[in-house]
């Protein structure tokens, strides 16, 4: 019989499990402390629960932390981990740990593959192979070597987080709850192409930072890169975002991958300024990492700097994001869920 994973469950849910196993209700809180506080990986390690109680739990349940199948380390210290999905090594996702001074940020995946089909993204190229459970999302935090040192996370790995919002929300709850990791929402950023129904839910139900994949301010040109533009036009996405307050602790940023001659011109910068006018935000300019069978090249450094400066003169803060982990295919747009060696 396949066992149910406890990872990702709340103390209230764990209490119900404990009661069903004939244990006192407070055992649910003890289980939560063992999993999220002490990071144990087996029920047998929960030594303040009676041996008979642990054995009853083990008949139907397991902690359910999936360990990485593979690891690659970049020359810049970035580490990429390959994780099985629901115990299946044939269906794997990647998580990337990015060190930066005192910060260690985990770029976490929420789906195996992706439905969105962005033309310049390796994850989108591989198609969609399923959404991750909260347990599989959280395993990426538990299973890496730097688990105890993480300071931040970005839901920017494989998949569209808002296409799997219920499980992503459950994982974020564990990260931010007092009984979980007790992280501030300010330590978490969710990146999306703008799935409008769930974007509204995210903005209403969560206080984490938001990053929106924009990449081109002209609807027809964005559609050529991102088919999702037809279902969720970027103008509508930004109109929704304008209804919320980003002048306080929560931030919104826009991701903008730069393609030489295709979206890095003054015309594009000016259109981007018009699109974002009056919105408190930041634009992250991203160097494109070449992928097979895609005709565009990356913008030269001088073009990226000129684009950044034109945005700045128009009143929009823009930064050129440093590329990390490119040598191990861990940089933006390169995650494909593949083993790093045969």
């Amino acid at each position: 019989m396949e066992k149910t994973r406890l990872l990702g469950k709340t103390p209230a849910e764990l209490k119900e499990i404990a009661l069903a196993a004939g244990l006192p209700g407070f055992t649910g809180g003890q289980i939560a402390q063992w999993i999220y506080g002490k990071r144990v990986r087996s029920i047998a390690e929960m030594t303040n629960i009676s041996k008979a109680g642990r054995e009853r739990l083990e008949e139907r349940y397991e902690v359910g932390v999936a360990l990485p199948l593979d690891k690659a380390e970049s020359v810049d210290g970035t580490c990429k981990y390959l994780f099985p999905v629901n115990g299946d090594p044939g269906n794997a996702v990647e998580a990337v740990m990015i060190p930066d001074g005192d910060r260690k940020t985990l770029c976490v995946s929420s789906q195996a593959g992706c439905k969105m089909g962005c033309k310049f993204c390796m994850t989108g190229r591989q198609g969609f192979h399923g959404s991750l459970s909260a347990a599989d999302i959280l395993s990426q935090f538990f299973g890496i070597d730097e688990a105890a040192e993480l300071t931040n996370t970005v839901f920017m790995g494989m998949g569209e987080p808002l296409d799997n919002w219920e499980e992503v929300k459950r994982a974020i709850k564990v990260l931010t709850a007092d009984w979980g990791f007790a992280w501030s929402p300010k330590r978490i950023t969710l990146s999306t192409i703008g799935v409008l129904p769930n974007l509204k839910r995210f903005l209403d139900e969560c206080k984490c930072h938001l990053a929106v994949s924009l990449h081109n301010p002209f609807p027809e040109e964005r559609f050529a890169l991102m088919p999702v533009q037809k279902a969720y036009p970027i103008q509508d996405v930004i109109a929704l975002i304008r209804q919320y307050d980003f002048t306080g602790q929560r931030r919104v940023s826009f991701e903008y991958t730069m393609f030489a001659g295709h979206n890095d011109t003054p015309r594009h910068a000016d259109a981007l300024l018009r699109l974002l006018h009056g919105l408190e935000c930041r634009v992250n300019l991203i160097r494109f990492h070449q992928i097979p069978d895609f005709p565009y090249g990356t913008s030269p450094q001088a073009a990226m700097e000129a684009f950044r400066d034109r945005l700045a003169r128009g009143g929009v803060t823009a930064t050129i994001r440093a590329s990390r982990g490119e040598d191990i295919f861990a940089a933006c747009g390169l995650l494909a869920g593949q083993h790093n060696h045969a």
Side-chain angles (χ1 to χ4, degrees), residues 221-251:
E221 294 181 24
R222 187 172 188 260
F223 175 69
L225 291 172
M226 305 171 70
V228 75
Q229 169 69 19
K230 183 175 181 179
Y232 305 122
I234 191 63
Q235 303 94 314
D236 294 352
V237 172
I238 292 174
L240 175 63
I241 290 170
R242 288 185 185 278
Q243 298 174 28
Y244 293 81
D245 180 16
F246 288 97
T247 59
Q249 293 188 330
R250 179 196 259 182
R251 298 193 305 270

Side-chain angles (χ1 to χ4, degrees), residues 108-129:
V108 65
S109 292
S110 57
Q111 294 181 311
C114 186
K115 297 177 186 175
M116 301 302 139
C118 297
K119 300 294 195 296
F120 52 91
C121 177
M122 284 295 290
T123 305
R125 288 279 190 91
Q126 73 179 72
F128 178 68
H129 305 289

Side-chain angles (χ1 to χ4, degrees), residues 61-337:
Y61 300 97
E62 62 181 353
V63 172
V65 174
L67 298 179
L69 303 166
D70 203 356
K71 176 185 177 182
E73 187 166 356
S74 167
V75 293
D76 64 21
T78 299
C79 294
K80 183 173 72 170
Y81 292 87
L82 185 74
F83 282 90
V85 176
N86 199 26
D88 177 9
N91 191 17
V93 296
E94 291 170 331
V96 180
M97 191 287 301
I98 307 163
D100 184 14
D102 294 336
R103 291 166 61 101
K104 282 186 168 65
T105 299
L106 184 65
C107 179
V108 65
S109 292
S110 57
Q111 294 181 311
C114 186
K115 297 177 186 175
M116 301 302 139
C118 297
K119 300 294 195 296
F120 52 91
C121 177
M122 284 295 290
T123 305
R125 288 279 190 91
Q126 73 179 72
F128 178 68
H129 305 289
S131 289
L132 271 61
S133 66
D136 279 324
I137 295 170
L138 290 166
S139 285
Q140 297 167 68
F141 293 86
F142 282 74
I144 67 172
D145 295 339
E146 303 83 6
E149 305 163 45
L150 292 175
T151 60
N152 300 79
T153 190
V154 290
F155 282 81
M156 290 185 183
M158 298 172 66
E160 164 54 61
L162 294 186
D163 191 43
N164 186 24
W165 174 234
E166 285 300 328
E167 295 300 308
V168 168
K169 182 171 71 168
R170 180 177 282 270
I172 289 173
K173 185 174 182 67
V174 171
L175 294 174
T176 56
D178 290 341
W179 48 262
F181 282 32
W183 280 15
S184 164
K186 293 186 294 182
R187 296 168 66 175
I188 302 169
T189 300
L190 181 141
S191 177
T192 178
I193 50 79
V195 179
L196 279 169
N198 283 343
L199 176 58
K200 186 174 192 318
R201 292 185 61 195
F202 167 78
L203 291 168
D204 288 337
E205 299 170 8
C206 183
K207 298 300 182 187
C208 299
H209 299 315
L210 174 66
V212 177
S213 295
L214 200 160
H215 309 303
N216 199 302
F218 294 107
E220 66 283 1
E221 294 181 24
R222 187 172 188 260
F223 175 69
L225 291 172
M226 305 171 70
V228 75
Q229 169 69 19
K230 183 175 181 179
Y232 305 122
I234 191 63
Q235 303 94 314
D236 294 352
V237 172
I238 292 174
L240 175 63
I241 290 170
R242 288 185 185 278
Q243 298 174 28
Y244 293 81
D245 180 16
F246 288 97
T247 59
Q249 293 188 330
R250 179 196 259 182
R251 298 193 305 270
V252 61
S253 60
F254 294 90
E255 310 296 299
Y256 197 94
T257 301
M258 302 199 70
F259 307 103
H262 292 277
N263 69 347
D264 62 351
T265 69
R267 178 177 71 94
H268 290 90
D270 292 344
L272 190 57
L273 285 169
R274 290 193 296 271
L275 188 64
L276 301 179
H277 179 73
L279 184 62
E280 186 71 27
C281 66
R282 173 184 296 271
V283 175
N284 291 318
L285 305 178
I286 301 168
R287 190 168 286 104
F288 173 57
H289 304 103
Q290 198 71 46
I291 63 173
D293 303 318
F294 184 74
Y296 296 179
T298 189
S299 298
Q301 181 70 18
M304 295 184 73
E305 291 175 359
F307 197 92
R308 175 199 62 195
D309 295 345
R310 194 175 186 93
L311 291 181
R313 288 194 297 272
V316 171
T317 300
T319 56
I320 298 173
R321 182 187 290 169
S323 180
R324 302 295 299 272
E326 187 172 1
D327 58 316
I328 57 168
F329 298 96
C332 287
L334 297 183
L335 299 185

